[in-house]
Amino acid sequence: MNRKLKVIIAPNSFKGSLDAHKAANAIESGLLKASSAFETLKLPIADGGDHFADVLVKALSGQMKKVEVRGPLGNKIQAEYGITPSGTAIIEMAKASGLALLKTEDLDALKATSFGTGELMKAAIKDGCKEIILGIGGSATTDGGVGILQALGYNFLDETGKEIPYGGGNLHKINKLDDSEVKEGIKLCKIKIACDVENKIIGESGSAKVFGPQKGASSEQVNILEENLKHFVEISKNFTGKDLSKIEHGGAAGGISAGLNGFLDAEICNGIDLVMEILEFDKHMPSADIVITAEGKLDFQTLDGKGPYGIALKAKEAGKMVIAFSGNIPPYEQEKFKAFDALFAIEDSPMSLDKAMEDGERLLTNSAFQAASLIIASSKMNF
Amino acid sequence: MNRKLKVIIAPNSFKGSLDAHKAANAIESGLLKASSAFETLKLPIADGGDHFADVLVKALSGQMKKVEVRGPLGNKIQAEYGITPSGTAIIEMAKASGLALLKTEDLDALKATSFGTGELMKAAIKDGCKEIILGIGGSATTDGGVGILQALGYNFLDETGKEIPYGGGNLHKINKLDDSEVKEGIKLCKIKIACDVENKIIGESGSAKVFGPQKGASSEQVNILEENLKHFVEISKNFTGKDLSKIEHGGAAGGISAGLNGFLDAEICNGIDLVMEILEFDKHMPSADIVITAEGKLDFQTLDGKGPYGIALKAKEAGKMVIAFSGNIPPYEQEKFKAFDALFAIEDSPMSLDKAMEDGERLLTNSAFQAASLIIASSKMNF
């Protein structure tokens, strides 16, 4: 071994145990304890959900700004968005319109609005941002993005000319659309949505039917939301010149992708690809020998374009060795996991999930240490 | 990679889950699924305890022979010993005088005798064996080997000239020793004891005080056994010309090592070194690239000369890469575990001990697959 081994450490968070930065530190610590041959670059990642803004803002040396906005049910809450030195806004929808902001008993799929997310976007544009990166994971809403558009100045008027109330449950009342109050800066702002789902806005695999139940919708409410989104699609056709029901990935976050693409030409991006673009993986990848990723649980959901799988595909494409650490690893027979050279579960003995989460840092460091030690030992063998 | 990677697979059993052969098969299966570059040699091991005879007899293409003997409390039981084609007997003490033969409520540390083990030895010698390999783990006895010696023809007589009854609780009655009935074949037979403990026969770290309690001795009984062993040591001095209390490792299996060394010049061997000698590790090691070992639990007990640690030391000495798999691995900071290049826990998610034991084969195969994949991937990197 005549040179340093360059390693990109790009973990997702271990939900409930370690955020992505702590996970990256734990892995780095294991590597450096195993050998001084490793040279590490930490690029903690996020998919569109948890910690999206925190991770990207930190990576880009930006800062968070607090804004009072309408929460998912219309009440005022304190939210925040990030702004980078180059004037890009990083907005995590869950901070203003997230499922996690509500107690289970307060879930109201008909009333939940994306208005607060729109307020964050408006604040960012007012602060001079010309580009918005929007993470939409964990939303409580099924309003097609109408709440966001309302916050940005669009009017959705009922038969009497009054603004319709918040929530997907009221979309059937839309009778007329008006964008005369929408400021030029808003229309000019470049919006990129980090999106992880394949679903369209309506239909059997649409946002209401697939994601409605986890947002608290009864089966009757799912049907109402589906009908209302259909109405929204219909009435938007003439106004936007687009058929929102045809937009790929349009069903993300209750139809936000479709709404923002239709009305504001928002670009719908694969979440992890967008994150990798922002973190400049293309710049860093060529000189790396090894790419390490990680996530609390690696399973078939991981393959739906989620963080670690995207990292693995990109690294493999570049001919790099890819390792992943996780609290749960899938059976090795799974063809699709072959983008990973090796997968290691972090548990060091039989233990409960609670114990594994509590001890996440130590376990991840240990697991990284062992894998790193094996890499070094393998490299010393002459074969 | 221009040649095969030669791997010695030498696991111990995973107690309660996999015997050493199944463990070796599971590891081999993981390696071969990862790459056809591996060429494997399976040498499952045993320390002096569990499966000692089975493992060695299988390795040496020997066969087991059934013998009716006295069990630990004197009742008749069916036991067995192994005999190899070259006429070496492999005897596992636990099969005749083992703790596992008794229910907890039947434990009787004062009465437990090694007589049945002596009967196995006698049967082997009668069958023509000139060498006996004796594994002494898991014994129920604290009789200094007097039971074995009685079975082989030695007389331990009380004041009235009667043979003393079974068990360490009766050693104080020994008044006179007589070997006139011991056959020549017995005295000429070469005995090798596979021993894993450091303790001497008497004293604060002696066999009664350290191992008595786990054999069911109350603190009062521990004191009785200690005094009785002292008496045995004293009265043996003139007869054997040796001070049994000075014999290193003499306290193994309730003083068996001391007794058999004193009376029959048995050689006390480090258990795993003896096993490796029998399995011809010295012949196989030079051409190996990697040595893999494993055990249900790797902890500080592992460092007391137990199987995997002995394997690791020998392999390291020969400059080989050493990997271990286990249900439990120790913290990586432990200096002493540095004989291992890498240690992997087999769990693939949070799980109970029961689940890990039930799924041992699958988990071990998966773990071996992942480590093997990492070795192959590492070998493809140019560093």
Side-chain angles (χ1 to χ4, degrees):
Chain A
M1 207 158 42
N2 305 311
R3 59 176 185 86
K4 292 271 185 178
L5 268 180
K6 291 191 181 177
V7 186
I8 293 177
I9 302 174
N12 212 333
S13 67
F14 282 56
K15 214 168 170 177
S17 176
L18 294 170
D19 66 36
H21 282 97
K22 282 190 181 150
N25 288 337
I27 292 167
E28 181 185 50
S29 166
L31 296 188
L32 298 182
K33 276 168 184 162
S35 171
S36 57
F38 293 106
E39 186 179 302
T40 57
L41 173 66
K42 289 177 285 182
L43 295 175
I45 61 161
D47 42 45
D50 259 9
H51 304 297
F52 179 80
D54 299 328
V55 165
L56 293 186
V57 167
K58 212 170 204 173
L60 299 175
S61 306
Q63 54 177 308
M64 299 302 289
K65 293 190 98 174
K66 290 197 185 306
V67 187
E68 190 183 73
V69 301
R70 299 273 168 186
L73 299 184
N75 50 318
K76 299 236 172 166
I77 62 163
Q78 195 73 16
E80 56 179 2
Y81 75 93
I83 182 164
T84 72
S86 66
T88 294
I90 313 285
I91 297 181
E92 183 176 328
M93 184 176 176
K95 286 183 187 280
S97 319
L99 211 50
L101 299 170
L102 300 174
K103 292 180 195 155
T104 308
E105 63 264 33
D106 294 337
L107 291 180
D108 189 337
L110 296 181
K111 200 177 163 190
T113 179
S114 58
F115 193 88
T117 300
E119 288 179 289
L120 288 179
M121 293 167 73
K122 192 176 167 188
I125 294 166
K126 209 175 153 193
D127 280 346
C129 293
K130 301 271 187 288
E131 184 183 54
I132 292 174
I133 310 288
L134 183 62
I136 57 177
S139 75
T141 62
T142 315
D143 72 352
V146 165
I148 290 176
L149 294 169
Q150 286 175 314
L152 294 177
Y154 287 85
N155 294 120
F156 293 82
L157 306 170
D158 67 14
E159 279 191 329
T160 70
K162 268 176 49 188
E163 189 68 27
I164 65 161
Y166 293 147
N170 290 305
L171 299 183
H172 63 287
K173 296 177 184 164
I174 304 173
N175 186 48
K176 201 186 151 201
L177 291 164
D178 177 9
D179 65 353
S180 58
E181 287 177 29
V182 180
K183 301 222 170 99
E184 199 60 21
I186 285 169
K187 292 191 173 170
L188 291 177
C189 181
K190 173 87 194 138
I191 301 169
K192 289 182 177 177
I193 302 176
C195 174
D196 285 329
V197 306
E198 300 288 325
N199 318 64
K200 291 182 182 170
I201 187 169
I202 53 174
E204 282 313 306
S205 304
S207 52
K209 297 211 174 174
V210 174
F211 303 109
Q214 73 200 46
K215 297 176 182 182
S218 64
S219 58
E220 198 186 340
Q221 290 176 328
V222 165
N223 290 333
I224 293 171
L225 290 167
E226 174 71 10
E227 289 306 310
N228 287 2
L229 286 170
K230 276 186 192 163
H231 175 70
F232 172 58
V233 166
E234 278 311 310
I235 205 158
S236 302
K237 269 184 189 157
N238 277 338
F239 189 82
T240 64
K242 290 185 191 171
D243 182 348
L244 304 194
S245 72
K246 297 271 196 291
I247 297 171
E248 300 290 338
H249 316 283
I256 298 276
S257 293
L260 296 193
N261 175 273
F263 284 73
L264 288 167
D265 269 331
E267 186 182 348
I268 302 173
C269 305
N270 174 287
I272 185 62
D273 286 345
L274 179 57
V275 167
M276 287 193 286
E277 181 191 320
I278 295 167
L279 299 178
E280 301 186 289
F281 266 68
D282 279 342
K283 191 178 97 185
H284 300 300
M285 195 76 91
S287 64
D289 296 289
I290 304 172
V291 176
I292 296 179
T293 184
E295 188 166 59
K297 192 171 180 176
L298 283 172
D299 54 18
F300 293 99
Q301 269 205 310
T302 307
L303 301 177
D304 291 338
K306 293 277 178 121
Y309 187 53
I311 299 278
L313 287 179
K314 187 141 196 121
K316 261 288 143 253
E317 205 182 281
K320 306 304 176 185
M321 176 167 143
V322 188
I323 311 173
F325 299 98
S326 177
N328 284 56
I329 59 170
Y332 65 87
E333 294 92 348
Q334 300 306 329
E335 279 297 322
K336 281 202 156 184
F337 283 96
K338 293 198 172 160
F340 300 92
D341 286 296
L343 297 158
F344 295 100
I346 64 171
E347 287 78 15
D348 65 355
S349 60
M351 64 176 67
S352 66
L353 175 59
D354 281 350
K355 176 75 179 153
M357 299 213 316
E358 191 188 310
D359 260 11
E361 193 171 345
R362 182 183 69 78
L363 294 171
L364 182 53
T365 297
N366 185 44
S367 199
F369 172 86
Q370 302 295 353
S373 300
L374 187 59
I375 292 170
I376 295 296
S378 300
S379 77
K380 288 178 186 157
M381 283 195 304
N382 181 26
F383 70 98
Chain B
M1 207 157 39
N2 304 312
R3 59 176 185 88
K4 292 272 186 178
L5 267 180
K6 291 193 181 175
V7 186
I8 293 177
I9 302 174
N12 213 333
S13 67
F14 282 56
K15 212 167 171 177
S17 175
L18 294 170
D19 66 35
H21 283 97
K22 283 190 180 150
N25 288 336
I27 292 168
E28 180 185 50
S29 165
L31 296 189
L32 298 181
K33 276 168 184 162
S35 170
S36 57
F38 294 105
E39 186 178 303
T40 57
L41 173 66
K42 288 178 283 182
L43 295 175
I45 61 161
D47 43 44
D50 258 10
H51 305 297
F52 179 80
D54 300 327
V55 165
L56 293 187
V57 167
K58 212 170 204 172
L60 299 176
S61 306
Q63 52 176 310
M64 299 301 291
K65 293 189 98 173
K66 290 199 187 304
V67 186
E68 190 183 73
V69 301
R70 299 272 167 187
L73 300 183
N75 50 317
K76 298 236 172 165
I77 62 165
Q78 195 73 17
E80 56 180 1
Y81 76 93
I83 183 163
T84 73
S86 67
T88 293
I90 314 285
I91 297 182
E92 183 176 329
M93 182 174 177
K95 287 184 187 279
S97 320
L99 211 51
L101 299 170
L102 301 174
K103 291 181 194 154
T104 308
E105 61 265 33
D106 293 338
L107 291 180
D108 188 337
L110 296 182
K111 200 176 162 191
T113 179
S114 58
F115 193 89
T117 301
E119 287 179 290
L120 289 179
M121 293 167 72
K122 194 176 165 187
I125 293 165
K126 209 174 153 191
D127 280 346
C129 293
K130 301 273 186 286
E131 184 183 53
I132 292 173
I133 310 288
L134 182 63
I136 56 176
S139 75
T141 62
T142 316
D143 72 352
V146 166
I148 291 176
L149 294 169
Q150 286 175 315
L152 294 177
Y154 286 85
N155 294 120
F156 293 82
L157 306 169
D158 67 13
E159 279 192 330
T160 70
K162 269 177 49 188
E163 189 68 28
I164 64 162
Y166 294 146
N170 290 304
L171 300 183
H172 64 287
K173 295 177 184 162
I174 305 173
N175 186 50
K176 201 184 151 202
L177 292 164
D178 177 8
D179 65 352
S180 57
E181 288 177 30
V182 180
K183 302 221 169 102
E184 199 59 22
I186 284 170
K187 289 192 177 171
L188 291 176
C189 181
K190 174 86 195 140
I191 301 168
K192 289 182 177 177
I193 302 176
C195 173
D196 284 330
V197 306
E198 300 287 326
N199 317 66
K200 291 183 183 171
I201 187 169
I202 53 174
E204 283 311 308
S205 305
S207 51
K209 297 211 174 172
V210 174
F211 303 109
Q214 73 200 45
K215 297 175 182 183
S218 65
S219 58
E220 200 185 338
Q221 290 175 327
V222 165
N223 290 334
I224 293 172
L225 290 167
E226 173 71 10
E227 288 308 310
N228 287 3
L229 287 170
K230 275 186 193 164
H231 175 70
F232 173 56
V233 167
E234 277 312 310
I235 205 157
S236 303
K237 269 185 190 160
N238 278 337
F239 189 81
T240 64
K242 290 186 191 169
D243 183 348
L244 304 193
S245 71
K246 297 271 196 290
I247 297 172
E248 300 290 337
H249 316 285
I256 299 276
S257 294
L260 295 193
N261 175 273
F263 284 73
L264 288 167
D265 270 331
E267 187 182 347
I268 302 173
C269 305
N270 174 287
I272 185 62
D273 286 345
L274 180 56
V275 167
M276 286 193 287
E277 182 191 320
I278 295 167
L279 299 177
E280 300 185 289
F281 267 68
D282 278 342
K283 191 179 98 185
H284 300 300
M285 194 77 91
S287 63
D289 296 289
I290 304 172
V291 176
I292 296 179
T293 183
E295 187 166 59
K297 192 171 180 175
L298 283 172
D299 55 17
F300 293 99
Q301 269 205 309
T302 308
L303 301 178
D304 291 338
K306 293 276 178 120
Y309 187 54
I311 300 278
L313 287 179
K314 186 140 195 121
K316 261 288 141 252
E317 207 180 280
K320 307 303 175 185
M321 177 166 141
V322 188
I323 311 174
F325 299 98
S326 178
N328 284 55
I329 60 169
Y332 65 85
E333 295 92 346
Q334 300 306 330
E335 279 296 323
K336 282 202 155 185
F337 284 96
K338 293 196 171 160
F340 300 92
D341 286 296
L343 297 158
F344 295 100
I346 63 172
E347 288 79 15
D348 65 354
S349 60
M351 64 176 65
S352 66
L353 174 59
D354 281 350
K355 176 76 178 150
M357 299 211 319
E358 190 187 311
D359 260 11
E361 193 171 345
R362 182 183 69 77
L363 294 172
L364 182 54
T365 297
N366 185 44
S367 200
F369 173 87
Q370 302 296 354
S373 301
L374 187 59
I375 291 170
I376 296 296
S378 299
S379 78
K380 287 179 186 156
M381 283 194 305
N382 181 26
F383 70 97

